[in-house]
Amino acid sequence: MYRSHNCGELRLTDIHKEVTLAGWVQKSRDKGFMIWVDLRDRYGITQLIFDEERTDATVMQLAKSLGREFVIQAKGIILERESKNPNIPTGAIELLVKELVVLNAALLPPFTIEDETDGGEDIRMKYRYLDIRRTPVRDNLLFRHKVTQEVRNYLSALDFCEIETPYLIKSTPEGARDFVVPSRMNPGQFYALPQSPQTFKQLLMVGGMDKYFQIVKCFRDEDLRADRQPEFTQIDCEMSFIEQEDILNVFEGLTRHLLKETHQIEVDKFPRMTFDEAMRTYGNDKPDIRFGMEFGELNPVAQHKDFGVFNNAELVVGIAVPGAASYTRKQIDELIDWVKRPQVGALGMVYCKYEVDGSFKSSVDKFYDQEDLAKWAEITGANPGDLILILSGPADKTRSQLSALRMELGNRLGLRKPNEFAPLWVVDFPLLEWDEETQRFHAMHHPFTSPKPEDMHLLDTDPSKVRANAYDLVLNGNEIGGGSIRIHDKEIQALMFKHLGFTETEAQEQFGFLMNAFQYGAPPHGGLAFGLDRLTAILGGQETIRDFIAFPKNNSGRDVMIDAPAAIDKTQLDELSLALHVK
Amino acid sequence: MYRSHNCGELRLTDIHKEVTLAGWVQKSRDKGFMIWVDLRDRYGITQLIFDEERTDATVMQLAKSLGREFVIQAKGIILERESKNPNIPTGAIELLVKELVVLNAALLPPFTIEDETDGGEDIRMKYRYLDIRRTPVRDNLLFRHKVTQEVRNYLSALDFCEIETPYLIKSTPEGARDFVVPSRMNPGQFYALPQSPQTFKQLLMVGGMDKYFQIVKCFRDEDLRADRQPEFTQIDCEMSFIEQEDILNVFEGLTRHLLKETHQIEVDKFPRMTFDEAMRTYGNDKPDIRFGMEFGELNPVAQHKDFGVFNNAELVVGIAVPGAASYTRKQIDELIDWVKRPQVGALGMVYCKYEVDGSFKSSVDKFYDQEDLAKWAEITGANPGDLILILSGPADKTRSQLSALRMELGNRLGLRKPNEFAPLWVVDFPLLEWDEETQRFHAMHHPFTSPKPEDMHLLDTDPSKVRANAYDLVLNGNEIGGGSIRIHDKEIQALMFKHLGFTETEAQEQFGFLMNAFQYGAPPHGGLAFGLDRLTAILGGQETIRDFIAFPKNNSGRDVMIDAPAAIDKTQLDELSLALHVK
């Protein structure tokens, strides 16, 4: 061992002890006759002191040569510091160095290893091993470890068994694109990396494993949006002989446990909301309910006046922005411009100030009198001093636009507090959604999701109306998990594939093994998966998942540190029976 | 919830309770007026009883229709059994069924779901989800979960942090073959799946993470030998500011903890042996020390007589087989044939019986008198009643042959007891080994292993003599883990690549990121990886890793259950800028 203690543990009670520390030079101050070095390791920082009168001259000389990030070992005696640093736990002591060894010299790092660094994202990713030395990144990784340990201990105590499912599986065209892996031993054939262990966990249920979980990497070859990773981690779970209620209870318990362990926060029973209600109230299936601004639908009170824009709209819907009646014309115009940006896409926005004196002033005063506007206030829940903002148009689109505005205002008004946690179950998702591109229905969750028995009869007549036993856990406006009760009957599964446009042959080829398995006694089962990267980020009070991944990839799916992906040898391609075919 | 209790928990204390159970029909006996059903789930078996006098006729009727592996739900009252079954924990009670629901019917399974099944390996793998219903397989998976939980808790308590390293990395020609993953977004480029997180864990040390571990899947595209899997799981660890001794202590502690938690066995400090000693004493770098039969080198006493075979041999080496002096000529001939099989490859074998009366009788009595043979006995540690078996020839080859014989005899004589555990550290491995095929030195462990400082000077003059700070943990004749102190200096790492036949450009291209990282202050570090599949199997008293993997692949790397790998669509190939090139 190169050290007797770490750099974070020495206190006043250790004074006069002889200790050996090892770590990195955070910084040094050289006053000639005296040198101070901040020595850093994973556990903290301890001040080293070299003093002409008490430190050997050669050690003194060596100390003068130390640069930032040199790796050193220092042996000496713990002293009480004259001027203490109350900001760090070791701030009361310092190490008077007797012996010094440079374990490794260091080039000057390309960015400062400080909490607030001068390094931009790109350079920090290229030198991620240096970025990890910074306290915020290091703490995020330690936090992630804590979260996974808590998840494992919680679920294990409930008799869940973690079971590893294979990574080299079979490609299926349904869903997102697979990453594939050519097989050398089976020329012309490919494995695929799992997008999720979905079918395997269902087979484990058929196998009687009853309560399964796994913290597992999954892979999706998608065109990456900001903050998506081609490989990501799931907390994947499945249970047998349960109903939706049982799953919600277990994972509500888990989430509550995590909030308690990471933030000492006790949360009440999570509220629940149907998908329809979430869309109507927040324009969004993952509403942030840390703040209000619920949607008020104004059709009955805003239509059939002389304002054509509203009269022709499928939906007229508004929100009350708290305390914003005092906004200037300029501020309001800026908001109108904001919703008209192509990313949001509104054509315009109507506003109505509910003045503190109780009067109303709107951009459509020509068409609506005070009494009309009072009804708007009532429906949107506006109070005197609030600003009502109204969008209109096709229902889905308008809701989505108003939801974007609501979230933006939530951010601007500081209503999305990082240390406040508002979990929410959204339930009763539609089973199917219409895909314009392929002109057919797709599974909203996945093709193994069970329709609600009472909606089965709608499958043929009105497929979009069929609700599923599917649920999402939403935390602070982010979907952190989702799942469903699965189909466990071969006939219903076959019917589902048919409705999703599979021929019988296709269904058999791709999922025959699962439907076969159902014939040998599949129990009723269901489950859920949490996105660990996002869950950890949100529990950590942040939203960028990259900050909670040790070695993330950039938006082109590249690891810029190791420079991957990269070309491979022709011999390697030959062995795999492959040829490049780059256009 | 479909059940109030599971099938393993009800006892005499539950009598008269109304309960609901759900599970699979293990078997049923129909006496006409009375039907018994063994209901099975993950937790156990509970007997259901249907009785003409007390059970409703329709329920009775339904019960008669139940087949093996039907999934049912049964509600009723717990009664005390008249004839108790002492072999199962629920054997004192039974459930008198009032209500019965068939949750799913089942086809007759293709093999019996019993501890001893009539299904061969192939059919059990194809229907692995049914195989998992069998108690031994299920218990193996539960056991594996317990082992991983214990590993995680033990290491976490020591401040190790589990950090996920990426699965999509870069291919390197060194070592075994990589599985590669074509990148759609970077046409013509490939990721590789990690053979181990080696370089990433070293970068984490450069990043100051100090104590890292990860239970992680690794991938090797090798021609599969029996009981090898293309994807396998490692317990991967790395520490900074440590020496070899520290690592041995931590992982000896972990192994001791596992033996205690899984078998209530307390093991003393693990013995240690150098690689040289292991090879000389057992002909093997992973000796099973549960039994003796240590090698005795007989050159000084067996050579320079008139027996040319021994005189011309580099090595004459023997073992004493306990109690085998009574073997018949036929038994001994069978052993001679065994070592002459091509898999072992000996040309012949000399034997010497140490009779219980103290006399010796050997196949080479012509050349050696009783006094000579007494020396053989002394050197091989033979006692009266033992049989000394002697091989001769080139040293390495002969040791390896005698090692094979020793293990075979250990098995035959029942000396390799599955519930006895004999761990052993083998240390001081050679740094390099000569590869006949490529006519150059290869890294015995991997190219990041540190040579022993005191042997550095031999690198140029006698590379095969350089020892490494490398160590293996051996348990019952199996290597369950291995590791080394790493190089943390850029110059030494560059020197090592040179000795391994890398040009400077190749070294830079493939491992430049690591050598660059070393320049920014790499701490001294080292680590170790355990093979989880094997560790679990051995702790479980078995040797076949497949039995401890939920969904293993066969010897051609195929998953016969889902039928992977498989062909993929032409569109998929096009998107990946690839063409098949199957000869």
Side-chain angles (χ1 to χ4, degrees):
Chain A
M1 197 69 91
Y2 284 77
R3 59 189 174 197
S4 62
H5 294 77
N6 67 49
C7 294
E9 64 181 314
L10 294 163
R11 302 284 184 277
L12 272 180
T13 45
D14 297 302
I15 277 174
H16 305 312
K17 273 191 194 156
E18 187 176 273
V19 307
T20 307
L21 298 182
W24 286 261
V25 173
Q26 175 76 25
K27 63 179 177 199
S28 64
R29 277 173 302 148
D30 183 352
K31 292 266 180 193
F33 60 96
M34 218 172 244
I35 302 163
W36 292 269
V37 168
D38 277 357
L39 188 66
R40 186 198 68 234
D41 68 10
R42 177 184 136 186
Y43 309 92
I45 284 179
T46 298
Q47 179 167 292
L48 311 182
I49 178 166
F50 302 80
D51 165 1
E52 215 168 46
E53 290 185 9
R54 293 177 290 177
T55 304
D56 190 81
T58 52
V59 173
M60 205 69 193
Q61 201 53 42
L62 190 56
K64 281 179 190 293
S65 75
L66 296 178
R68 274 177 184 252
E69 301 304 317
F70 273 44
V71 185
I72 61 171
Q73 182 187 37
K75 191 171 169 178
I77 305 289
I78 296 299
L79 304 180
E80 181 166 359
R81 263 162 85 162
E82 276 180 32
S83 64
K84 300 192 171 48
N85 178 351
N87 300 319
I88 56 172
T90 63
I93 58 93
E94 61 193 355
L95 175 66
L96 175 67
V97 181
K98 300 285 184 191
E99 292 170 36
L100 176 67
V101 179
V102 175
L103 298 171
N104 219 339
L107 298 180
L108 193 71
F111 52 87
T112 55
I113 312 292
E114 307 272 2
D115 290 9
E116 298 292 327
T117 179
D118 55 358
E121 171 98 2
D122 289 354
I123 191 109
R124 290 195 293 110
M125 287 304 144
K126 185 167 161 58
Y127 297 90
R128 183 64 162 177
Y129 46 86
L130 298 180
D131 200 28
I132 289 173
R133 289 189 194 159
R134 299 192 309 115
T135 308
V137 182
R138 180 196 68 207
D139 285 352
N140 286 350
L141 297 181
L142 294 172
F143 182 75
R144 183 180 176 117
H145 171 60
K146 185 181 166 61
V147 170
T148 58
Q149 271 294 101
E150 291 297 340
V151 169
R152 288 194 159 100
N153 289 338
Y154 187 87
L155 292 176
S156 299
L158 290 178
D159 269 343
F160 279 80
C161 178
E162 183 161 17
I163 299 175
E164 294 173 59
T165 52
Y167 277 80
L168 297 174
I169 64 167
K170 192 157 96 169
S171 188
T172 54
E174 182 67 8
R177 270 195 206 84
D178 288 319
F179 282 105
V180 295
V181 181
S183 165
R184 181 177 54 85
M185 296 219 278
N186 304 274
Q189 300 193 336
F190 294 74
Y191 302 99
L193 299 177
Q195 296 185 30
S196 98
Q198 183 61 35
T199 48
F200 287 95
K201 68 177 174 176
Q202 292 193 244
L203 291 173
L204 286 171
M205 294 306 108
V206 177
M209 284 311 295
D210 208 83
K211 289 180 182 173
Y212 144 94
F213 83 102
Q214 187 182 191
I215 300 187
V216 62
K217 274 280 175 77
C218 301
F219 304 85
R220 274 182 211 167
D221 186 10
E222 289 175 302
D223 299 318
L224 299 174
R225 282 178 274 157
D227 216 28
R228 281 279 188 119
Q229 293 279 318
E231 51 177 306
F232 55 97
T233 307
Q234 266 185 205
I235 306 170
D236 192 49
C237 308
E238 198 80 3
M239 299 171 77
S240 292
F241 299 117
I242 46 70
E243 288 154 309
Q244 173 170 312
E245 190 62 25
D246 305 303
I247 296 190
L248 300 195
N249 286 336
V250 167
F251 294 96
E252 185 164 324
L254 171 63
T255 310
R256 202 180 280 124
H257 175 77
L258 292 176
L259 285 168
K260 194 174 163 196
E261 291 300 319
T262 59
H263 291 276
Q264 294 75 51
I265 288 176
E266 302 268 3
V267 188
D268 281 343
K269 197 155 171 51
F270 297 0
R272 297 185 190 178
M273 194 177 285
T274 65
F275 172 84
D276 278 345
E277 198 182 342
M279 295 308 287
R280 270 187 289 107
T281 316
Y282 299 100
N284 198 312
D285 62 359
K286 45 177 198 279
D288 188 342
I289 59 167
R290 280 176 297 184
F291 63 104
M293 289 200 237
E294 295 179 7
F295 288 14
E297 297 193 0
L298 303 175
N299 294 36
V301 297
Q303 289 185 328
H304 313 299
K305 304 279 167 169
D306 290 338
F307 187 41
V309 173
F310 282 1
N311 288 345
N312 298 327
E314 186 187 354
L315 179 70
V316 182
V317 59
I319 52 173
V321 189
S326 57
Y327 277 17
T328 62
R329 180 69 217 216
K330 200 175 151 201
Q331 282 176 296
I332 292 174
D333 281 347
E334 192 272 330
L335 284 178
I336 293 173
D337 287 345
W338 193 90
V339 295
K340 286 165 85 174
R341 297 180 322 145
Q343 297 94 317
V344 182
L347 296 175
M349 180 160 66
V350 167
Y351 71 84
C352 170
K353 292 181 172 185
Y354 190 173
E355 304 287 3
V356 283
D357 65 6
S359 69
F360 296 94
K361 194 178 174 328
S362 90
S363 53
V364 287
D365 279 344
K366 197 159 30 155
F367 306 108
Y368 301 94
D369 60 25
Q370 293 283 311
E371 208 175 309
D372 292 331
L373 298 177
K375 286 180 194 150
W376 296 12
E378 194 190 326
I379 291 173
T380 59
N383 292 311
D386 292 354
L387 173 69
I388 305 170
L389 297 174
I390 302 118
L391 295 177
S392 62
D396 289 354
K397 212 165 161 182
T398 305
R399 285 195 177 106
S400 148
Q401 291 162 354
L402 192 62
S403 168
L405 177 65
R406 175 180 174 272
M407 291 297 272
E408 174 69 14
L409 287 165
N411 283 329
R412 290 189 189 186
L413 298 172
L415 302 173
R416 307 189 67 200
K417 303 197 184 79
N419 282 311
E420 193 178 311
F421 295 93
L424 168 74
W425 286 110
V426 178
V427 298
D428 293 353
F429 273 78
L431 181 71
L432 304 167
E433 61 184 342
W434 181 253
D435 185 63
E436 282 299 332
E437 200 185 323
T438 54
Q439 287 287 305
R440 65 172 179 88
F441 281 104
H442 280 246
M444 190 144 183
H445 192 51
H446 55 50
F448 316 108
T449 299
S450 174
K452 278 185 187 284
E454 62 268 34
D455 289 359
M456 279 289 283
H457 67 282
L458 295 168
L459 258 181
D460 284 317
T461 53
D462 197 355
S464 70
K465 283 280 182 299
V466 180
R467 290 165 308 157
N469 278 322
Y471 33 82
D472 275 358
L473 182 58
V474 174
L475 185 58
N476 294 1
N478 295 277
E479 181 210 323
I480 58 160
S484 62
I485 299 298
R486 326 299 184 188
I487 297 166
H488 65 280
D489 178 277
K490 191 195 171 182
E491 300 312 322
I492 297 181
Q493 188 63 68
L495 185 69
M496 188 56 47
F497 284 128
K498 198 184 123 206
H499 277 282
L500 293 170
F502 284 69
T503 67
E504 241 175 82
T505 320
E506 283 167 351
Q508 193 55 40
E509 244 175 49
Q510 290 167 37
F511 299 107
F513 63 94
L514 186 66
M515 289 192 291
N516 277 346
F518 286 173
Q519 296 182 98
Y520 289 101
H525 62 286
L528 170 146
F530 279 175
L532 177 68
D533 306 303
R534 189 157 311 279
L535 173 65
T536 312
I538 293 167
L539 288 175
Q542 299 177 39
E543 295 208 339
T544 313
I545 64 171
R546 241 195 302 256
D547 295 343
F548 289 81
I549 296 172
F551 300 103
K553 296 197 168 50
N554 73 10
N555 282 345
S556 321
R558 291 201 74 82
D559 182 327
V560 295
M561 182 184 70
I562 62 169
D563 194 26
I568 58 173
D569 289 350
K570 171 115 186 11
T571 12
Q572 239 171 321
L573 281 172
D574 286 346
E575 283 189 335
L576 297 169
S577 309
L578 286 180
L580 289 188
H581 188 62
V582 182
K583 279 158 208 132
Chain B
M1 198 69 93
Y2 284 77
R3 61 189 171 197
S4 62
H5 295 76
N6 66 49
C7 294
E9 65 181 313
L10 293 164
R11 301 284 183 276
L12 272 180
T13 47
D14 297 302
I15 278 175
H16 304 314
K17 272 190 195 159
E18 187 177 274
V19 307
T20 308
L21 298 182
W24 287 262
V25 173
Q26 175 75 25
K27 63 179 179 200
S28 64
R29 276 174 302 150
D30 184 350
K31 293 264 181 194
F33 60 95
M34 216 174 248
I35 302 164
W36 293 268
V37 169
D38 277 359
L39 188 66
R40 187 196 68 233
D41 68 10
R42 176 184 136 188
Y43 309 92
I45 285 181
T46 299
Q47 177 166 294
L48 312 181
I49 177 167
F50 302 80
D51 164 1
E52 217 168 45
E53 290 186 7
R54 295 176 289 177
T55 303
D56 190 83
T58 54
V59 173
M60 206 66 195
Q61 201 53 40
L62 190 54
K64 282 179 191 293
S65 76
L66 296 177
R68 275 179 183 250
E69 302 304 317
F70 273 43
V71 185
I72 62 169
Q73 184 187 37
K75 193 170 165 179
I77 305 288
I78 296 299
L79 305 180
E80 181 167 359
R81 264 162 87 161
E82 275 179 34
S83 64
K84 300 193 171 51
N85 178 351
N87 301 319
I88 56 171
T90 62
I93 58 93
E94 61 192 355
L95 175 65
L96 175 67
V97 181
K98 301 284 187 191
E99 292 170 35
L100 176 67
V101 180
V102 175
L103 297 171
N104 219 338
L107 298 181
L108 193 71
F111 51 87
T112 55
I113 312 291
E114 305 274 0
D115 291 10
E116 299 291 328
T117 179
D118 57 357
E121 171 97 3
D122 289 352
I123 191 107
R124 289 195 293 110
M125 287 305 143
K126 184 165 161 61
Y127 296 90
R128 182 64 163 177
Y129 46 86
L130 298 180
D131 199 28
I132 290 172
R133 288 189 195 161
R134 297 193 310 116
T135 307
V137 181
R138 180 196 68 207
D139 285 353
N140 285 349
L141 297 180
L142 294 172
F143 183 76
R144 183 180 178 119
H145 171 62
K146 183 178 169 62
V147 170
T148 58
Q149 271 295 99
E150 292 296 340
V151 169
R152 286 193 160 100
N153 290 338
Y154 187 87
L155 293 175
S156 299
L158 291 177
D159 269 343
F160 279 80
C161 177
E162 182 161 19
I163 299 175
E164 294 173 59
T165 52
Y167 278 79
L168 297 173
I169 65 166
K170 193 158 94 169
S171 188
T172 54
E174 183 69 7
R177 270 196 207 83
D178 289 319
F179 281 106
V180 297
V181 182
S183 166
R184 182 178 53 86
M185 296 220 277
N186 305 272
Q189 301 192 336
F190 294 75
Y191 302 99
L193 299 178
Q195 296 185 29
S196 98
Q198 183 61 35
T199 49
F200 286 95
K201 69 176 174 176
Q202 292 193 242
L203 291 172
L204 286 171
M205 295 304 109
V206 177
M209 285 309 297
D210 208 80
K211 289 178 183 174
Y212 144 93
F213 83 102
Q214 188 184 190
I215 299 186
V216 62
K217 274 279 175 78
C218 299
F219 304 85
R220 274 183 210 164
D221 186 10
E222 290 175 302
D223 299 318
L224 300 175
R225 283 177 275 157
D227 215 28
R228 282 278 188 119
Q229 291 281 318
E231 51 177 307
F232 54 97
T233 307
Q234 270 186 202
I235 307 170
D236 192 50
C237 307
E238 197 80 2
M239 299 172 78
S240 292
F241 299 119
I242 44 73
E243 289 155 309
Q244 174 171 311
E245 189 61 26
D246 305 303
I247 296 189
L248 300 196
N249 286 337
V250 167
F251 294 95
E252 185 164 324
L254 171 63
T255 311
R256 202 179 281 122
H257 175 76
L258 292 177
L259 285 168
K260 195 174 159 193
E261 291 301 318
T262 58
H263 290 275
Q264 295 76 50
I265 289 177
E266 302 269 2
V267 187
D268 282 344
K269 198 156 170 49
F270 295 1
R272 295 186 191 178
M273 194 178 284
T274 65
F275 173 84
D276 279 345
E277 200 183 339
M279 294 309 285
R280 270 187 291 107
T281 316
Y282 298 99
N284 199 311
D285 62 0
K286 43 178 200 279
D288 188 340
I289 58 167
R290 279 176 297 183
F291 63 104
M293 289 200 237
E294 297 180 6
F295 288 13
E297 298 192 0
L298 304 175
N299 295 37
V301 298
Q303 290 183 329
H304 313 301
K305 304 279 166 171
D306 290 338
F307 188 41
V309 174
F310 282 1
N311 289 344
N312 298 326
E314 187 187 355
L315 179 71
V316 182
V317 61
I319 51 173
V321 189
S326 59
Y327 277 19
T328 61
R329 180 68 218 216
K330 198 175 152 200
Q331 281 177 297
I332 292 175
D333 281 347
E334 192 272 329
L335 284 177
I336 294 173
D337 287 344
W338 193 89
V339 296
K340 286 164 89 174
R341 296 179 322 145
Q343 298 93 317
V344 182
L347 297 174
M349 181 162 64
V350 166
Y351 72 85
C352 169
K353 292 181 171 185
Y354 190 171
E355 304 288 2
V356 282
D357 65 8
S359 69
F360 296 94
K361 191 175 176 330
S362 89
S363 52
V364 286
D365 279 344
K366 199 165 26 163
F367 306 108
Y368 301 95
D369 59 24
Q370 292 285 309
E371 207 175 309
D372 292 330
L373 298 176
K375 287 181 193 150
W376 295 14
E378 193 190 329
I379 292 174
T380 57
N383 293 311
D386 291 355
L387 173 71
I388 305 170
L389 296 174
I390 302 123
L391 295 176
S392 62
D396 289 354
K397 214 166 159 180
T398 306
R399 285 196 177 104
S400 147
Q401 291 162 352
L402 192 60
S403 168
L405 177 64
R406 176 180 173 272
M407 292 296 272
E408 174 68 13
L409 287 165
N411 283 328
R412 291 189 188 186
L413 298 172
L415 302 173
R416 307 189 64 200
K417 303 196 184 79
N419 282 310
E420 193 178 311
F421 294 93
L424 167 75
W425 285 110
V426 178
V427 298
D428 293 355
F429 272 78
L431 181 71
L432 304 168
E433 61 183 344
W434 181 255
D435 185 64
E436 283 298 331
E437 198 186 324
T438 55
Q439 286 287 306
R440 65 173 179 89
F441 281 103
H442 279 246
M444 191 144 180
H445 190 54
H446 55 49
F448 315 109
T449 297
S450 175
K452 278 186 186 282
E454 61 268 33
D455 289 357
M456 278 290 283
H457 67 281
L458 295 169
L459 256 181
D460 284 319
T461 53
D462 197 354
S464 70
K465 284 279 182 300
V466 179
R467 291 166 308 160
N469 279 321
Y471 33 82
D472 274 358
L473 182 58
V474 174
L475 185 57
N476 295 2
N478 295 277
E479 180 211 322
I480 58 161
S484 63
I485 300 299
R486 325 298 184 188
I487 297 165
H488 64 280
D489 178 278
K490 190 196 171 179
E491 301 311 323
I492 297 180
Q493 188 63 68
L495 185 69
M496 187 56 48
F497 283 128
K498 199 183 123 208
H499 278 282
L500 293 171
F502 283 69
T503 67
E504 242 175 81
T505 319
E506 282 167 352
Q508 193 56 42
E509 244 175 48
Q510 288 168 36
F511 298 108
F513 63 94
L514 185 66
M515 289 193 289
N516 277 346
F518 285 172
Q519 296 183 97
Y520 289 102
H525 63 285
L528 170 146
F530 279 173
L532 177 67
D533 305 303
R534 189 157 310 280
L535 174 65
T536 311
I538 294 168
L539 288 175
Q542 299 179 35
E543 295 207 340
T544 312
I545 64 172
R546 239 195 303 256
D547 294 343
F548 288 81
I549 296 172
F551 299 103
K553 295 196 169 49
N554 73 9
N555 283 345
S556 322
R558 292 200 73 83
D559 182 327
V560 294
M561 181 185 69
I562 62 168
D563 194 25
I568 60 173
D569 288 350
K570 171 115 189 6
T571 13
Q572 238 172 323
L573 281 172
D574 287 345
E575 284 190 334
L576 297 170
S577 309
L578 286 179
L580 289 188
H581 190 61
V582 182
K583 279 161 208 129

